């Protein structure tokens, strides 16, 4: 295994195709394939800094000795890679919302940050919820598609709950029933820092799960 200067090249990956059996050249630039079945193969040699080299190799069943070959490698030279640009921006939020913003970073749910809210310029929170798949307003209530089959049997969570700054605003267990619509209608957009919508029980933060099949978390500025 020799480079442009006829010196041995170490740690070259060599492959026999088909079959893709691979070996690497040793400190002397030597390599060996053992127990190769008769047939015609393509020998491929490659190493960082050199051009990929291929050649045809024929192995016959009646060869008296192991065929020997020299594989010349040509330096590939330095190549200019395409420019990579990395951009980012600083997200400012109250320290008390560190955990909710960690959920934003993980991306498990639908989120409307203050920056996104400003860019969308919605009329109200309902306008944001209309953008979430599976969530829709029906009269004076909010329906979540994935909640339709929940609550059909005892022990199955079946309510869409709304929390404001971590405090539940909905109530389905008393005569003073308060659904998601009632809990959201008085929240004004300028006061909102972050909206989280979790329409799957798999993404609902444990501390807000209770008897919920979905939750909407509102965080004030």
């Amino acid at each position: 295994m020799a480079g442009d200067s006829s010196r041995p090249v170490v740690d070259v990956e060599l492959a026999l195709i088909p079959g893709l059996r691979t070996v690497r050249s040793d400190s002397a630039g030597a390599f060996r394939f053992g127990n190769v079945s008769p047939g015609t193969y393509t020998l491929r040699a490659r190493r960082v800094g050199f051009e990929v080299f291929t050649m045809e190799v024929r192995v016959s069943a009646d060869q008296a000795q192991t065929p020997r070959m020299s594989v010349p490698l040509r330096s590939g030279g330095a190549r200019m890679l395409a420019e990579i640009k990395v951009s980012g921006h600083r997200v400012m939020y109250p320290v008390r919302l560190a955990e909710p913003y960690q959920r934003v970073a993980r991306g498990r749910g639908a989120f409307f940050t203050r920056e996104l809210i400003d860019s969308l310029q919605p009329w109200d929170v309902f306008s944001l919820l209309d953008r979430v798949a599976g969530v829709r307003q029906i009269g004076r209530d909010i329906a979540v598609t994935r909640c339709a089959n929940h609550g059909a049997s005892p022990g199955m969570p079946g309510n869409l709950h709304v929390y404001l700054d971590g405090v539940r605003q909905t109530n389905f267990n008393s005569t003073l029933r308060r659904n998601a619509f009632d809990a959201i209608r008085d929240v004004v957009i300028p006061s909102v820092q972050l909206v989280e919508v979790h329409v799957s029980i798999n993404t609902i933060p444990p501390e807000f799960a209770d008897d919920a099949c979905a939750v909407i978390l509102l965080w004030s500025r």
Side-chain angles (χ1 to χ4, degrees):
M1 180 74 63
D4 293 340
S5 61
S6 297
R7 290 183 298 183
V9 182
V10 179
D11 202 32
V12 176
E13 179 194 81
L14 298 110
L16 277 182
I17 306 168
L20 206 62
R21 295 179 56 188
T22 61
V23 298
R24 290 186 177 275
S25 61
D26 59 22
S27 58
F31 65 94
R32 181 178 183 274
F33 287 97
N35 300 320
V36 179
S37 300
T40 301
Y41 300 87
T42 296
L43 175 65
R44 183 189 68 197
R46 62 184 183 183
R47 190 184 191 283
V48 175
F50 294 87
E51 295 179 1
V52 176
F53 175 85
T54 60
M55 64 182 294
E56 186 179 276
V57 177
R58 293 178 181 174
V59 179
S60 61
D62 58 352
Q63 282 179 319
Q65 59 181 2
T66 304
R68 296 179 179 271
M69 64 197 70
S70 177
V71 179
L73 293 181
R74 184 187 300 275
S75 297
R79 294 184 180 181
M80 181 68 70
L81 298 177
E83 181 179 2
I84 300 176
K85 293 184 178 180
V86 179
S87 61
H89 65 282
R90 179 175 295 179
V91 178
M92 303 295 291
Y93 55 82
V95 175
R96 64 185 176 84
L97 298 184
E99 188 171 335
Y101 270 87
Q102 287 176 5
R103 291 194 289 269
V104 173
R106 290 194 293 268
R108 298 193 64 199
F111 303 92
F112 297 93
T113 62
R114 184 67 243 175
E115 293 77 11
L116 181 55
I117 293 172
D118 288 340
S119 67
L120 294 175
Q121 298 183 340
W123 288 103
D124 50 25
V125 176
F126 297 114
S127 301
L128 294 177
L129 298 179
D130 283 341
R131 296 174 175 271
V132 181
V135 179
R136 65 188 188 281
Q137 183 178 340
I138 302 177
R140 294 178 61 83
D141 201 358
I142 299 173
V144 175
T145 302
R146 292 186 178 180
C147 288
N149 296 325
H150 288 274
S153 60
M156 288 286 288
N159 298 316
L160 167 62
H161 281 299
V162 176
Y163 288 80
L164 176 60
D165 289 335
V167 179
R168 184 194 283 186
Q169 304 298 305
T170 46
N171 190 345
F172 297 95
N173 298 319
S174 72
T175 55
L176 300 176
R177 179 182 173 88
R178 194 164 191 246
N179 63 15
F181 179 91
D182 297 329
I184 291 174
R185 63 181 177 178
D186 295 328
V187 177
V188 293
I189 280 293
S191 69
V192 177
Q193 173 68 30
L194 173 66
V195 178
E196 300 181 57
V197 185
H198 299 276
V199 297
S200 170
I201 58 175
N202 296 324
T203 68
I204 299 175
E207 62 268 35
F208 302 111
D210 291 337
D211 62 340
C213 63
V215 298
I216 298 171
L217 306 177
L218 306 174
W219 303 97
S220 63
R221 303 178 74 172

